[in-house]
Amino acid sequence: MPLGKPAQQRRLAGVLSYEDARDRARKVLPRLLFDYVDGGADDELTMRLNGERLRRLLLRPRTGVWVPRPGLKTEVLGTTLSMPVLTAPCGGMRLVHPDGDLAVTRAAARAGVVPVVPSGSGHSLEDIAASDGPKWFQLYRFSDRAGMESLVEGARAAGYEALVVTMDTGIAGNRERDFRNGFSYDLRINAGTALRLGPQMIRRPGWAFRFWRDGMPFELPNTARFGSDGRAMSLTEMARGGAESFSPTWRDVERIRETWAGGLVVKGVMTGDDARRAVDLGADAVVVSNHGGRQLDGVPATIDALPEVVAAVGGRAAVLLDSGVRRGGDVVKALALGARAVLVGRPVVWGLAIAGEAGVAHVLELLRSQIIRTMCLMGCPSVAALDPGWLWAHPRS
Ligand code: FNR
């Protein structure tokens, strides 16, 4: 079935890989927005390692086995996914495309995967919840605990099935590309931004027109619920942070567990100790994540942290992984090392930038076809069968 309208299909024609999608998005987005998505913290060492270390890992196929239709179905926290993939929560998506998280969520439902809806969405959690399919909600603390608790209440009332508590964002990472570009999230056009962004906008008229028609939004509707005046915070205010941690703390996880009956997922775990702590506090899953290399630079690739976390969790909770997953083969490698499923961030954002919902759907279907092809060629009948035996033993020199 073709994905999207003819114009969208044209924009997606020839997008066969992550690199294609990234290149196409680079032509659609103003430079500062492309860099906001593409970039990482400090020297971007961790961001690069995420991809490099995944790609250094080698597959160990079994030959002469005919696998016509490998099983991709995966169960996570009681929900069956059509493949072991979720969309990662990415704030600021309404700047990338007016349909933002609405488009991501719809495309995810169509693909049979779960979207993790960010706190920092340009659409309210209620508007997003109105579309089909199970959804998880990613939780930040924003200004204080009361704000966080009102988000939890909102997620409960709107029917989200799980909370994903992001733990690695006490303050924003040092994203030097953003500083160099003068990216403040606040793209409201005034004399200063017109001068600064004018040349970029002229070269990206499609994006500029869509952004203008959308009312140049940069407020976060989810934050309106906890200001005494009902005013939503801007993305800039959100990123600036305050005297308190922007991420929930372990104490918050403990409190949330007491009142939240749905799935509880702790995102941003890199060590066995923290994974154990999360599970001891009642988490149903942990996400091995370094935020795509956007927070603390100098930590290892998530694929290198994964075995320690899997061993520490010891089957008491599901282990998910994100950061650097670009191809179906990467998904297979993460599963072979014990991840139940992966989250994908930037690939989804590039799809959104190129063609909204149809673009996200396209990127997800690319991943699916790559997973299937890899599994067929490896002679592996189902994702449930993956274990370290499907990887080469000495890949890492
Ligand atoms: C993110 N990420 C993120 N995570 C989170 O918990 N809350 C958020 O608001 C955001 N915002 C955000 C914006 C953008 C533009 C990106 C690229 C990422 C991190 C995200 O959920 C995920 O951990 C990484 O994106 C995974 O790495 P890859 O797949 O992008 O390499």
Side-chain angles (χ1 to χ4, degrees), residues 36-37 88-91 93 118-120 138 140 166 169 238 267 289-292 294 322-326 343-347 349:
Y36 159 64
V37 176
C90 294
M93 288 305 98
S119 276
Q138 176 266 325
Y140 272 146
T166 299
T169 322
M238 169 185 134
K267 175 173 182 278
S289 172
N290 54 36
H291 220 100
R294 298 164 69 81
D322 75 18
S323 303
V325 174
R326 302 292 176 253
L343 282 65
V344 282
R346 293 179 184 89
V349 184

Side-chain angles (χ1 to χ4, degrees), residues 136-316:
W136 297 0
F137 184 73
Q138 176 266 325
L139 190 67
Y140 272 146
R141 252 179 87 113
F142 290 112
S143 48
D144 54 20
R145 174 167 293 140
M148 187 192 69
E149 284 172 356
S150 73
L151 283 175
V152 174
E153 220 19 75
R156 189 197 324 273
Y160 286 84
E161 299 194 349
L163 279 181
V164 178
V165 182
T166 299
M167 302 286 279
D168 58 4
T169 322
I171 55 170
N174 179 39
R175 304 190 198 138
E176 292 175 5
R177 289 202 220 182
D178 289 352
F179 292 123
R180 282 192 202 102
N181 291 334
F183 180 65
S184 68
Y185 297 95
D186 180 352
L187 297 181
R188 184 164 288 184
I189 305 302
N190 54 33
T193 47
L195 269 178
R196 188 161 49 82
L197 301 180
Q200 293 187 35
M201 303 293 173
I202 288 164
R203 275 185 245 125
R204 300 292 181 264
W207 177 87
F209 176 67
R210 282 192 294 274
F211 184 58
W212 170 78
R213 202 179 46 189
D214 195 31
M216 297 185 278
F218 61 94
E219 276 90 13
L220 304 176
N222 287 333
T223 62
R225 61 194 328 117
F226 47 76
S228 53
D229 53 1
R231 189 184 70 83
M233 285 164 88
S234 73
L235 283 162
T236 313
E237 284 174 88
M238 169 185 134
R240 204 178 290 136
E244 293 192 59
S245 169
F246 191 56
S247 278
T249 61
W250 291 115
R251 178 80 191 103
D252 294 319
V253 172
E254 205 174 345
R255 287 168 65 121
I256 293 166
R257 182 71 293 177
E258 283 162 15
T259 56
W260 173 262
L264 185 62
V265 183
V266 170
K267 175 173 182 278
V269 165
M270 287 293 289
T271 66
D273 287 344
D274 278 347
R276 217 175 284 112
R277 186 165 188 180
V279 178
D280 288 346
L281 290 178
D284 303 295
V286 295
V287 186
V288 180
S289 172
N290 54 36
H291 220 100
R294 298 164 69 81
Q295 285 296 108
L296 177 61
D297 198 28
V299 294
T302 51
I303 196 71
D304 287 328
L306 178 64
E308 176 181 323
V309 170
V310 169
V313 167
R316 291 190 295 148

